[in-house]
Amino acid sequence: MTGRVEGKVAFITGAARGQGRAHAVRLASEGADIIAVDLCDSIDSVPYALASEADLGETVRQVEGLGRKIIASQTDVRDHSALDAAVSYGVEAFGRLDIAVANAGILSAASTEDLPEQSWQDMIDVNLTGVYHAARAAIPHIRAGGVGGSIVLTSSALGIRAMPNMAHYVAAKSGVIGLMRVLALELAADKIRVNTVNPSIADTLMVQNEAVHKLFVPHIDSPTREQAAEVFATLNPMPTPWVDAEDVSNAVLFLVSDEARFVTGLEFKIDAGFCLA
Amino acid sequence: MGRVENKVAFITGAARGQGRGHALRLAAEGADIIALDMCKQLPSARYDLATSEDLVETRKAVEASGRRVIALEADVRDEQQLAEAFRAGVAEIGPVDIVIANAGVALFAVDQPHEAWQDTIDINLTGVFNTLETVVPSMIERGAGGAIVMTSSTAGLRGILGPSRGSLAYVASKHGLVGLMRSYANNLAAHSIRVNTVHPTGVETPMIVTPSIDAFLDASPELVAHVTNALPVGLVSVDDVTNAVLYLVSEDGRYVTGTTLTVDAGFANKN
């Protein structure tokens, strides 16, 4: 059976684990080859461990296990020229680019008054400017194919709704929506579609870590995953504490496949009703 | 294994156009179908509405795909007819997992029939409300969750189509669906029943590709001069809308509720 993105090539940032890995694996399972990048290093203002080189290796193993090809590199989305080079290298090897998923992102939290300058700057640099860099790197290659394509920018339910202690995150994720809207207009004539995905809390290590658990369960010293789940569940009208990375991947797959050939400029919520509440 | 294997879908406006497209595709993906349509002409309509023959054709096409189907003539404005059709459908096909509240009319025409306002509101808005009120209690009682899609429009997001009675009614009814969708989505989330709208731009169906709509648009050049899709396409196809509906009602969309899914070639973002 032909895959839903058979023969296409997808560029994915933040692909070492979490949503990025899930997208790589899902698109590969539907016939795509993958150009994967991840920082695989720490950022001082981020209060949990970021993905490692070994994580990126695991993504490579899983994609290859599906019989698809993958070129992975440790590349920082904040470094525009390095990102350009990573995409160009992958496109040279695979011969085309159809899809970009600008997914790399970080999370930290503090009240706006207490937010360290570096936390603000790192957040904007990775979650907004990094998304811009990823789109910039991909656009010329997708356009050169002459058959259109699809770009998905990872925003958040917090790009649509606000939450205390998240000014930098909400600003970056809202900014991603604005960027998407402009790109959708600019690239429509070339049949390149641009949309955001807007998940509520997803079950990944960006959320499932002590720092974030403590933020949501402040009255307990070391809250467990189960204790955090009880609080997360109150955020969603549907009876679930979170969505899985694979739920976001299913939306990404729809958006980048030809099934959505006339879907562009859309904020695509995968949020268990979070934005309704 | 289909993407909606062994689910039962209740679809209004299923005789032709988008409704038929949804019925056939969901059947191809493993669903059994309860197909409703009014199959009557409306005095305020300046185009031919679907006929009994159209509904029979939908039924035969679903049968040919190997799934079970019942086709019933019922008017979404009539709660009694809906209740009877629902009872007959469930008795024949089984309990409903999926609702596609799709029946709708476009009564904007050059001669501006006076009844266009009320008829449009009755069918496009109240008809969807009636449909959900008919089916939803059984979905809650069964406790197996479910997915509901209402067919809205780019006219549910933007004040397009000009000042005619039918235009205003169309825009108001399709905007109204968004409010209805958000309320049902909130109210039904705890039951894992998801509710979303789809918002197509112009779709290649007999409701749009018809001389009266051509004449209406010819007489209102300001409506089409600048108000165009972003992607280089005029009308999208039924399949494009069906793909979005299929995503929403399948397990792929299991946490997607309260969303306005545009299939609009970038129209809403542009205009």
Side-chain angles (χ1 to χ4, degrees), chain B residues 210-257:
Chain B
T210 189
S212 67
I213 296 284
D214 288 344
F216 175 80
L217 294 174
D218 286 346
S220 320
E222 74 283 0
L223 294 183
V224 283
H226 304 292
V227 189
T228 54
N229 295 334
L231 290 170
V233 60
L235 300 177
V236 303
S237 75
V238 169
D239 283 347
D240 295 307
V241 187
T242 301
N243 288 334
V245 168
L246 177 61
Y247 165 83
L248 287 172
V249 304
S250 75
E251 283 302 299
D252 279 6
R254 67 181 176 153
Y255 291 130
V256 178
T257 192

mmCIF file of all heavy atoms in Angstrom, chain B residues 210-257:
data_model
loop_
_atom_site.group_PDB
_atom_site.id
_atom_site.type_symbol
_atom_site.label_atom_id
_atom_site.label_comp_id
_atom_site.label_asym_id
_atom_site.label_seq_id
_atom_site.Cartn_x
_atom_site.Cartn_y
_atom_site.Cartn_z
ATOM 1 N N THR B 210 -24.009 26.149 -10.495
ATOM 2 C CA THR B 210 -25.391 26.188 -10.946
ATOM 3 C C THR B 210 -25.657 27.582 -11.520
ATOM 4 O O THR B 210 -25.047 28.563 -11.081
ATOM 5 C CB THR B 210 -26.336 25.848 -9.760
ATOM 6 O OG1 THR B 210 -27.653 25.677 -10.237
ATOM 7 C CG2 THR B 210 -26.307 26.926 -8.696
ATOM 8 N N PRO B 211 -26.526 27.672 -12.529
ATOM 9 C CA PRO B 211 -26.715 28.961 -13.224
ATOM 10 C C PRO B 211 -27.142 30.102 -12.294
ATOM 11 O O PRO B 211 -26.713 31.243 -12.490
ATOM 12 C CB PRO B 211 -27.815 28.652 -14.248
ATOM 13 C CG PRO B 211 -27.698 27.190 -14.503
ATOM 14 C CD PRO B 211 -27.260 26.583 -13.204
ATOM 15 N N SER B 212 -27.959 29.818 -11.272
ATOM 16 C CA SER B 212 -28.439 30.907 -10.421
ATOM 17 C C SER B 212 -27.300 31.509 -9.594
ATOM 18 O O SER B 212 -27.280 32.714 -9.331
ATOM 19 C CB SER B 212 -29.570 30.429 -9.507
ATOM 20 O OG SER B 212 -29.088 29.504 -8.555
ATOM 21 N N ILE B 213 -26.355 30.677 -9.177
ATOM 22 C CA ILE B 213 -25.195 31.194 -8.431
ATOM 23 C C ILE B 213 -24.281 31.957 -9.387
ATOM 24 O O ILE B 213 -23.762 33.035 -9.055
ATOM 25 C CB ILE B 213 -24.429 30.051 -7.727
ATOM 26 C CG1 ILE B 213 -25.313 29.384 -6.679
ATOM 27 C CG2 ILE B 213 -23.134 30.574 -7.108
ATOM 28 C CD1 ILE B 213 -25.511 30.153 -5.388
ATOM 29 N N ASP B 214 -24.083 31.429 -10.593
ATOM 30 C CA ASP B 214 -23.298 32.156 -11.605
ATOM 31 C C ASP B 214 -23.889 33.541 -11.834
ATOM 32 O O ASP B 214 -23.160 34.545 -11.856
ATOM 33 C CB ASP B 214 -23.290 31.385 -12.932
ATOM 34 C CG ASP B 214 -22.420 30.141 -12.861
ATOM 35 O OD1 ASP B 214 -21.615 30.046 -11.914
ATOM 36 O OD2 ASP B 214 -22.568 29.277 -13.743
ATOM 37 N N ALA B 215 -25.211 33.598 -11.996
ATOM 38 C CA ALA B 215 -25.874 34.886 -12.261
ATOM 39 C C ALA B 215 -25.714 35.827 -11.078
ATOM 40 O O ALA B 215 -25.485 37.031 -11.243
ATOM 41 C CB ALA B 215 -27.362 34.655 -12.554
ATOM 42 N N PHE B 216 -25.828 35.273 -9.872
ATOM 43 C CA PHE B 216 -25.671 36.079 -8.658
ATOM 44 C C PHE B 216 -24.268 36.688 -8.599
ATOM 45 O O PHE B 216 -24.102 37.884 -8.324
ATOM 46 C CB PHE B 216 -25.936 35.208 -7.425
ATOM 47 C CG PHE B 216 -25.682 35.916 -6.116
ATOM 48 C CD1 PHE B 216 -26.622 36.791 -5.582
ATOM 49 C CD2 PHE B 216 -24.492 35.715 -5.423
ATOM 50 C CE1 PHE B 216 -26.385 37.447 -4.379
ATOM 51 C CE2 PHE B 216 -24.257 36.363 -4.217
ATOM 52 C CZ PHE B 216 -25.207 37.227 -3.702
ATOM 53 N N LEU B 217 -23.261 35.865 -8.871
ATOM 54 C CA LEU B 217 -21.879 36.360 -8.796
ATOM 55 C C LEU B 217 -21.593 37.337 -9.936
ATOM 56 O O LEU B 217 -20.883 38.334 -9.749
ATOM 57 C CB LEU B 217 -20.897 35.186 -8.813
ATOM 58 C CG LEU B 217 -20.973 34.271 -7.567
ATOM 59 C CD1 LEU B 217 -20.071 33.063 -7.718
ATOM 60 C CD2 LEU B 217 -20.626 35.041 -6.290
ATOM 61 N N ASP B 218 -22.177 37.074 -11.117
ATOM 62 C CA ASP B 218 -22.001 38.001 -12.250
ATOM 63 C C ASP B 218 -22.577 39.375 -11.915
ATOM 64 O O ASP B 218 -22.046 40.405 -12.337
ATOM 65 C CB ASP B 218 -22.681 37.457 -13.511
ATOM 66 C CG ASP B 218 -21.899 36.296 -14.112
ATOM 67 O OD1 ASP B 218 -20.726 36.120 -13.713
ATOM 68 O OD2 ASP B 218 -22.458 35.569 -14.953
ATOM 69 N N ALA B 219 -23.675 39.385 -11.147
ATOM 70 C CA ALA B 219 -24.337 40.636 -10.803
ATOM 71 C C ALA B 219 -23.652 41.338 -9.630
ATOM 72 O O ALA B 219 -24.010 42.468 -9.289
ATOM 73 C CB ALA B 219 -25.805 40.357 -10.453
ATOM 74 N N SER B 220 -22.702 40.659 -8.993
ATOM 75 C CA SER B 220 -22.016 41.224 -7.820
ATOM 76 C C SER B 220 -20.507 41.122 -8.004
ATOM 77 O O SER B 220 -19.832 40.443 -7.234
ATOM 78 C CB SER B 220 -22.418 40.478 -6.551
ATOM 79 O OG SER B 220 -23.793 40.173 -6.537
ATOM 80 N N PRO B 221 -19.976 41.797 -9.030
ATOM 81 C CA PRO B 221 -18.551 41.609 -9.348
ATOM 82 C C PRO B 221 -17.631 41.979 -8.184
ATOM 83 O O PRO B 221 -16.543 41.424 -8.062
ATOM 84 C CB PRO B 221 -18.323 42.539 -10.545
ATOM 85 C CG PRO B 221 -19.474 43.495 -10.541
ATOM 86 C CD PRO B 221 -20.615 42.782 -9.919
ATOM 87 N N GLU B 222 -18.108 42.903 -7.320
ATOM 88 C CA GLU B 222 -17.245 43.301 -6.193
ATOM 89 C C GLU B 222 -17.006 42.143 -5.223
ATOM 90 O O GLU B 222 -16.036 42.155 -4.470
ATOM 91 C CB GLU B 222 -17.852 44.504 -5.457
ATOM 92 C CG GLU B 222 -19.065 44.196 -4.591
ATOM 93 C CD GLU B 222 -20.364 43.995 -5.386
ATOM 94 O OE1 GLU B 222 -20.326 44.104 -6.635
ATOM 95 O OE2 GLU B 222 -21.408 43.716 -4.768
ATOM 96 N N LEU B 223 -17.890 41.146 -5.259
ATOM 97 C CA LEU B 223 -17.734 40.019 -4.346
ATOM 98 C C LEU B 223 -16.612 39.084 -4.781
ATOM 99 O O LEU B 223 -16.062 38.358 -3.964
ATOM 100 C CB LEU B 223 -19.036 39.212 -4.256
ATOM 101 C CG LEU B 223 -20.234 39.916 -3.628
ATOM 102 C CD1 LEU B 223 -21.409 38.957 -3.543
ATOM 103 C CD2 LEU B 223 -19.895 40.469 -2.254
ATOM 104 N N VAL B 224 -16.330 39.084 -6.044
ATOM 105 C CA VAL B 224 -15.344 38.122 -6.536
ATOM 106 C C VAL B 224 -14.056 38.765 -7.018
ATOM 107 O O VAL B 224 -13.053 38.073 -7.244
ATOM 108 C CB VAL B 224 -15.933 37.239 -7.660
ATOM 109 C CG1 VAL B 224 -16.843 36.182 -7.075
ATOM 110 C CG2 VAL B 224 -16.679 38.063 -8.677
ATOM 111 N N ALA B 225 -14.051 40.091 -7.146
ATOM 112 C CA ALA B 225 -12.871 40.761 -7.712
ATOM 113 C C ALA B 225 -11.648 40.565 -6.819
ATOM 114 O O ALA B 225 -10.586 40.155 -7.275
ATOM 115 C CB ALA B 225 -13.154 42.239 -7.909
ATOM 116 N N HIS B 226 -11.803 40.865 -5.546
ATOM 117 C CA HIS B 226 -10.655 40.800 -4.634
ATOM 118 C C HIS B 226 -10.775 39.669 -3.634
ATOM 119 O O HIS B 226 -9.804 39.275 -3.020
ATOM 120 C CB HIS B 226 -10.521 42.131 -3.890
ATOM 121 C CG HIS B 226 -10.402 43.307 -4.797
ATOM 122 N ND1 HIS B 226 -9.292 43.504 -5.591
ATOM 123 C CD2 HIS B 226 -11.250 44.317 -5.084
ATOM 124 C CE1 HIS B 226 -9.470 44.600 -6.306
ATOM 125 N NE2 HIS B 226 -10.656 45.108 -6.030
ATOM 126 N N VAL B 227 -11.982 39.193 -3.467
ATOM 127 C CA VAL B 227 -12.222 38.169 -2.442
ATOM 128 C C VAL B 227 -12.005 36.799 -3.073
ATOM 129 O O VAL B 227 -12.934 36.145 -3.525
ATOM 130 C CB VAL B 227 -13.645 38.309 -1.868
ATOM 131 C CG1 VAL B 227 -13.831 37.398 -0.668
ATOM 132 C CG2 VAL B 227 -13.893 39.748 -1.447
ATOM 133 N N THR B 228 -10.741 36.399 -3.118
ATOM 134 C CA THR B 228 -10.389 35.156 -3.798
ATOM 135 C C THR B 228 -9.547 34.281 -2.875
ATOM 136 O O THR B 228 -9.067 34.728 -1.836
ATOM 137 C CB THR B 228 -9.572 35.450 -5.069
ATOM 138 O OG1 THR B 228 -8.448 36.262 -4.692
ATOM 139 C CG2 THR B 228 -10.403 36.199 -6.093
ATOM 140 N N ASN B 229 -9.373 33.037 -3.283
ATOM 141 C CA ASN B 229 -8.502 32.130 -2.539
ATOM 142 C C ASN B 229 -7.050 32.569 -2.657
ATOM 143 O O ASN B 229 -6.665 33.207 -3.636
ATOM 144 C CB ASN B 229 -8.639 30.713 -3.095
ATOM 145 C CG ASN B 229 -10.029 30.137 -2.881
ATOM 146 O OD1 ASN B 229 -10.732 30.524 -1.959
ATOM 147 N ND2 ASN B 229 -10.410 29.210 -3.738
ATOM 148 N N ALA B 230 -6.239 32.191 -1.678
ATOM 149 C CA ALA B 230 -4.803 32.468 -1.758
ATOM 150 C C ALA B 230 -4.108 31.461 -2.685
ATOM 151 O O ALA B 230 -3.320 31.849 -3.546
ATOM 152 C CB ALA B 230 -4.180 32.429 -0.360
ATOM 153 N N LEU B 231 -4.405 30.199 -2.512
ATOM 154 C CA LEU B 231 -3.818 29.190 -3.397
ATOM 155 C C LEU B 231 -4.449 29.323 -4.785
ATOM 156 O O LEU B 231 -5.613 29.719 -4.904
ATOM 157 C CB LEU B 231 -4.071 27.778 -2.848
ATOM 158 C CG LEU B 231 -3.305 27.403 -1.570
ATOM 159 C CD1 LEU B 231 -3.828 26.076 -1.004
ATOM 160 C CD2 LEU B 231 -1.807 27.286 -1.834
ATOM 161 N N PRO B 232 -3.689 29.017 -5.824
ATOM 162 C CA PRO B 232 -4.200 29.202 -7.188
ATOM 163 C C PRO B 232 -5.212 28.140 -7.580
ATOM 164 O O PRO B 232 -4.940 27.247 -8.370
ATOM 165 C CB PRO B 232 -2.920 29.118 -8.040
ATOM 166 C CG PRO B 232 -1.986 28.280 -7.243
ATOM 167 C CD PRO B 232 -2.296 28.567 -5.798
ATOM 168 N N VAL B 233 -6.419 28.250 -6.997
ATOM 169 C CA VAL B 233 -7.493 27.313 -7.307
ATOM 170 C C VAL B 233 -8.813 28.050 -7.093
ATOM 171 O O VAL B 233 -8.916 28.903 -6.210
ATOM 172 C CB VAL B 233 -7.412 26.051 -6.411
ATOM 173 C CG1 VAL B 233 -7.535 26.409 -4.940
ATOM 174 C CG2 VAL B 233 -8.459 25.020 -6.793
ATOM 175 N N GLY B 234 -9.798 27.762 -7.926
ATOM 176 C CA GLY B 234 -11.096 28.393 -7.771
ATOM 177 C C GLY B 234 -11.953 27.614 -6.788
ATOM 178 O O GLY B 234 -12.115 28.009 -5.642
ATOM 179 N N LEU B 235 -12.474 26.502 -7.239
ATOM 180 C CA LEU B 235 -13.276 25.641 -6.375
ATOM 181 C C LEU B 235 -12.443 24.436 -5.945
ATOM 182 O O LEU B 235 -11.670 23.898 -6.738
ATOM 183 C CB LEU B 235 -14.520 25.146 -7.132
ATOM 184 C CG LEU B 235 -15.478 26.228 -7.645
ATOM 185 C CD1 LEU B 235 -16.612 25.581 -8.442
ATOM 186 C CD2 LEU B 235 -16.034 27.067 -6.505
ATOM 187 N N VAL B 236 -12.593 24.034 -4.704
ATOM 188 C CA VAL B 236 -11.968 22.791 -4.278
ATOM 189 C C VAL B 236 -12.948 21.655 -4.550
ATOM 190 O O VAL B 236 -14.120 21.882 -4.841
ATOM 191 C CB VAL B 236 -11.548 22.821 -2.786
ATOM 192 C CG1 VAL B 236 -10.615 23.986 -2.526
ATOM 193 C CG2 VAL B 236 -12.754 22.875 -1.854
ATOM 194 N N SER B 237 -12.462 20.414 -4.459
ATOM 195 C CA SER B 237 -13.341 19.281 -4.753
ATOM 196 C C SER B 237 -13.941 18.724 -3.463
ATOM 197 O O SER B 237 -13.442 18.983 -2.368
ATOM 198 C CB SER B 237 -12.562 18.183 -5.491
ATOM 199 O OG SER B 237 -11.730 17.503 -4.590
ATOM 200 N N VAL B 238 -15.000 17.974 -3.626
ATOM 201 C CA VAL B 238 -15.631 17.314 -2.477
ATOM 202 C C VAL B 238 -14.606 16.472 -1.721
ATOM 203 O O VAL B 238 -14.581 16.456 -0.488
ATOM 204 C CB VAL B 238 -16.823 16.456 -2.945
ATOM 205 C CG1 VAL B 238 -17.306 15.553 -1.818
ATOM 206 C CG2 VAL B 238 -17.949 17.342 -3.445
ATOM 207 N N ASP B 239 -13.742 15.784 -2.448
ATOM 208 C CA ASP B 239 -12.746 14.923 -1.800
ATOM 209 C C ASP B 239 -11.883 15.685 -0.810
ATOM 210 O O ASP B 239 -11.460 15.137 0.213
ATOM 211 C CB ASP B 239 -11.827 14.281 -2.852
ATOM 212 C CG ASP B 239 -12.512 13.131 -3.576
ATOM 213 O OD1 ASP B 239 -13.573 12.697 -3.104
ATOM 214 O OD2 ASP B 239 -11.972 12.688 -4.608
ATOM 215 N N ASP B 240 -11.574 16.935 -1.131
ATOM 216 C CA ASP B 240 -10.724 17.714 -0.230
ATOM 217 C C ASP B 240 -11.416 17.925 1.118
ATOM 218 O O ASP B 240 -10.783 17.875 2.168
ATOM 219 C CB ASP B 240 -10.380 19.061 -0.865
ATOM 220 C CG ASP B 240 -9.536 18.892 -2.122
ATOM 221 O OD1 ASP B 240 -8.502 18.223 -2.045
ATOM 222 O OD2 ASP B 240 -9.944 19.411 -3.190
ATOM 223 N N VAL B 241 -12.710 18.186 1.076
ATOM 224 C CA VAL B 241 -13.462 18.361 2.323
ATOM 225 C C VAL B 241 -13.583 17.020 3.034
ATOM 226 O O VAL B 241 -13.423 16.918 4.258
ATOM 227 C CB VAL B 241 -14.858 18.962 2.048
ATOM 228 C CG1 VAL B 241 -15.558 19.286 3.363
ATOM 229 C CG2 VAL B 241 -14.752 20.209 1.178
ATOM 230 N N THR B 242 -13.833 15.982 2.254
ATOM 231 C CA THR B 242 -13.972 14.651 2.843
ATOM 232 C C THR B 242 -12.701 14.224 3.576
ATOM 233 O O THR B 242 -12.767 13.626 4.648
ATOM 234 C CB THR B 242 -14.311 13.622 1.750
ATOM 235 O OG1 THR B 242 -15.535 14.013 1.121
ATOM 236 C CG2 THR B 242 -14.461 12.240 2.334
ATOM 237 N N ASN B 243 -11.536 14.538 3.003
ATOM 238 C CA ASN B 243 -10.273 14.184 3.673
ATOM 239 C C ASN B 243 -10.192 14.798 5.061
ATOM 240 O O ASN B 243 -9.729 14.169 6.013
ATOM 241 C CB ASN B 243 -9.081 14.667 2.847
ATOM 242 C CG ASN B 243 -8.876 13.844 1.589
ATOM 243 O OD1 ASN B 243 -9.249 12.685 1.523
ATOM 244 N ND2 ASN B 243 -8.271 14.462 0.579
ATOM 245 N N ALA B 244 -10.637 16.051 5.170
ATOM 246 C CA ALA B 244 -10.612 16.732 6.468
ATOM 247 C C ALA B 244 -11.609 16.085 7.421
ATOM 248 O O ALA B 244 -11.311 15.852 8.602
ATOM 249 C CB ALA B 244 -10.926 18.214 6.289
ATOM 250 N N VAL B 245 -12.799 15.788 6.905
ATOM 251 C CA VAL B 245 -13.828 15.139 7.728
ATOM 252 C C VAL B 245 -13.333 13.780 8.225
ATOM 253 O O VAL B 245 -13.476 13.437 9.408
ATOM 254 C CB VAL B 245 -15.138 14.984 6.934
ATOM 255 C CG1 VAL B 245 -16.112 14.066 7.660
ATOM 256 C CG2 VAL B 245 -15.771 16.350 6.684
ATOM 257 N N LEU B 246 -12.722 13.030 7.331
ATOM 258 C CA LEU B 246 -12.217 11.701 7.695
ATOM 259 C C LEU B 246 -11.185 11.807 8.806
ATOM 260 O O LEU B 246 -11.214 11.035 9.778
ATOM 261 C CB LEU B 246 -11.619 11.014 6.460
ATOM 262 C CG LEU B 246 -10.986 9.647 6.707
ATOM 263 C CD1 LEU B 246 -12.008 8.649 7.237
ATOM 264 C CD2 LEU B 246 -10.340 9.115 5.422
ATOM 265 N N TYR B 247 -10.272 12.764 8.693
ATOM 266 C CA TYR B 247 -9.294 12.969 9.765
ATOM 267 C C TYR B 247 -10.016 13.237 11.087
ATOM 268 O O TYR B 247 -9.714 12.633 12.117
ATOM 269 C CB TYR B 247 -8.334 14.125 9.434
ATOM 270 C CG TYR B 247 -7.564 14.585 10.650
ATOM 271 C CD1 TYR B 247 -6.412 13.930 11.053
ATOM 272 C CD2 TYR B 247 -8.051 15.622 11.446
ATOM 273 C CE1 TYR B 247 -5.746 14.293 12.212
ATOM 274 C CE2 TYR B 247 -7.398 15.996 12.609
ATOM 275 C CZ TYR B 247 -6.239 15.332 12.986
ATOM 276 O OH TYR B 247 -5.607 15.687 14.136
ATOM 277 N N LEU B 248 -10.981 14.150 11.047
ATOM 278 C CA LEU B 248 -11.646 14.577 12.286
ATOM 279 C C LEU B 248 -12.413 13.441 12.961
ATOM 280 O O LEU B 248 -12.448 13.358 14.190
ATOM 281 C CB LEU B 248 -12.600 15.741 12.000
ATOM 282 C CG LEU B 248 -11.954 17.094 11.718
ATOM 283 C CD1 LEU B 248 -13.006 18.099 11.260
ATOM 284 C CD2 LEU B 248 -11.221 17.623 12.950
ATOM 285 N N VAL B 249 -13.047 12.576 12.171
ATOM 286 C CA VAL B 249 -13.888 11.536 12.774
ATOM 287 C C VAL B 249 -13.124 10.250 13.063
ATOM 288 O O VAL B 249 -13.639 9.369 13.747
ATOM 289 C CB VAL B 249 -15.140 11.227 11.912
ATOM 290 C CG1 VAL B 249 -15.949 12.494 11.674
ATOM 291 C CG2 VAL B 249 -14.767 10.564 10.593
ATOM 292 N N SER B 250 -11.891 10.151 12.572
ATOM 293 C CA SER B 250 -11.098 8.942 12.818
ATOM 294 C C SER B 250 -10.359 9.072 14.144
ATOM 295 O O SER B 250 -10.339 10.138 14.769
ATOM 296 C CB SER B 250 -10.089 8.743 11.684
ATOM 297 O OG SER B 250 -9.025 9.678 11.819
ATOM 298 N N GLU B 251 -9.726 7.986 14.557
ATOM 299 C CA GLU B 251 -8.932 7.992 15.793
ATOM 300 C C GLU B 251 -7.741 8.940 15.693
ATOM 301 O O GLU B 251 -7.203 9.381 16.702
ATOM 302 C CB GLU B 251 -8.456 6.578 16.133
ATOM 303 C CG GLU B 251 -9.542 5.709 16.729
ATOM 304 C CD GLU B 251 -10.152 6.291 18.001
ATOM 305 O OE1 GLU B 251 -9.414 6.484 18.975
ATOM 306 O OE2 GLU B 251 -11.368 6.585 17.997
ATOM 307 N N ASP B 252 -7.320 9.242 14.470
ATOM 308 C CA ASP B 252 -6.235 10.223 14.298
ATOM 309 C C ASP B 252 -6.555 11.533 15.001
ATOM 310 O O ASP B 252 -5.665 12.222 15.485
ATOM 311 C CB ASP B 252 -5.999 10.517 12.803
ATOM 312 C CG ASP B 252 -5.145 9.462 12.132
ATOM 313 O OD1 ASP B 252 -4.831 8.449 12.788
ATOM 314 O OD2 ASP B 252 -4.785 9.653 10.958
ATOM 315 N N GLY B 253 -7.831 11.891 15.036
ATOM 316 C CA GLY B 253 -8.225 13.162 15.636
ATOM 317 C C GLY B 253 -8.806 13.005 17.027
ATOM 318 O O GLY B 253 -9.629 13.810 17.453
ATOM 319 N N ARG B 254 -8.371 11.991 17.770
ATOM 320 C CA ARG B 254 -9.062 11.623 19.024
ATOM 321 C C ARG B 254 -9.032 12.714 20.088
ATOM 322 O O ARG B 254 -9.826 12.661 21.026
ATOM 323 C CB ARG B 254 -8.487 10.325 19.595
ATOM 324 C CG ARG B 254 -7.048 10.467 20.070
ATOM 325 C CD ARG B 254 -6.503 9.149 20.614
ATOM 326 N NE ARG B 254 -5.098 9.349 20.967
ATOM 327 C CZ ARG B 254 -4.451 8.665 21.892
ATOM 328 N NH1 ARG B 254 -5.074 7.721 22.555
ATOM 329 N NH2 ARG B 254 -3.184 8.914 22.157
ATOM 330 N N TYR B 255 -8.103 13.663 19.996
ATOM 331 C CA TYR B 255 -8.096 14.773 20.962
ATOM 332 C C TYR B 255 -8.380 16.118 20.290
ATOM 333 O O TYR B 255 -8.058 17.168 20.837
ATOM 334 C CB TYR B 255 -6.770 14.825 21.719
ATOM 335 C CG TYR B 255 -6.575 13.663 22.670
ATOM 336 C CD1 TYR B 255 -5.405 12.913 22.661
ATOM 337 C CD2 TYR B 255 -7.578 13.309 23.566
ATOM 338 C CE1 TYR B 255 -5.234 11.842 23.527
ATOM 339 C CE2 TYR B 255 -7.424 12.236 24.428
ATOM 340 C CZ TYR B 255 -6.242 11.511 24.407
ATOM 341 O OH TYR B 255 -6.083 10.452 25.264
ATOM 342 N N VAL B 256 -8.952 16.080 19.106
ATOM 343 C CA VAL B 256 -9.261 17.316 18.387
ATOM 344 C C VAL B 256 -10.740 17.631 18.585
ATOM 345 O O VAL B 256 -11.609 16.899 18.123
ATOM 346 C CB VAL B 256 -8.933 17.179 16.891
ATOM 347 C CG1 VAL B 256 -9.300 18.452 16.154
ATOM 348 C CG2 VAL B 256 -7.452 16.857 16.710
ATOM 349 N N THR B 257 -11.012 18.700 19.303
ATOM 350 C CA THR B 257 -12.390 19.128 19.515
ATOM 351 C C THR B 257 -12.441 20.636 19.648
ATOM 352 O O THR B 257 -11.487 21.258 20.134
ATOM 353 C CB THR B 257 -13.026 18.441 20.737
ATOM 354 O OG1 THR B 257 -14.442 18.684 20.730
ATOM 355 C CG2 THR B 257 -12.448 18.953 22.057
#
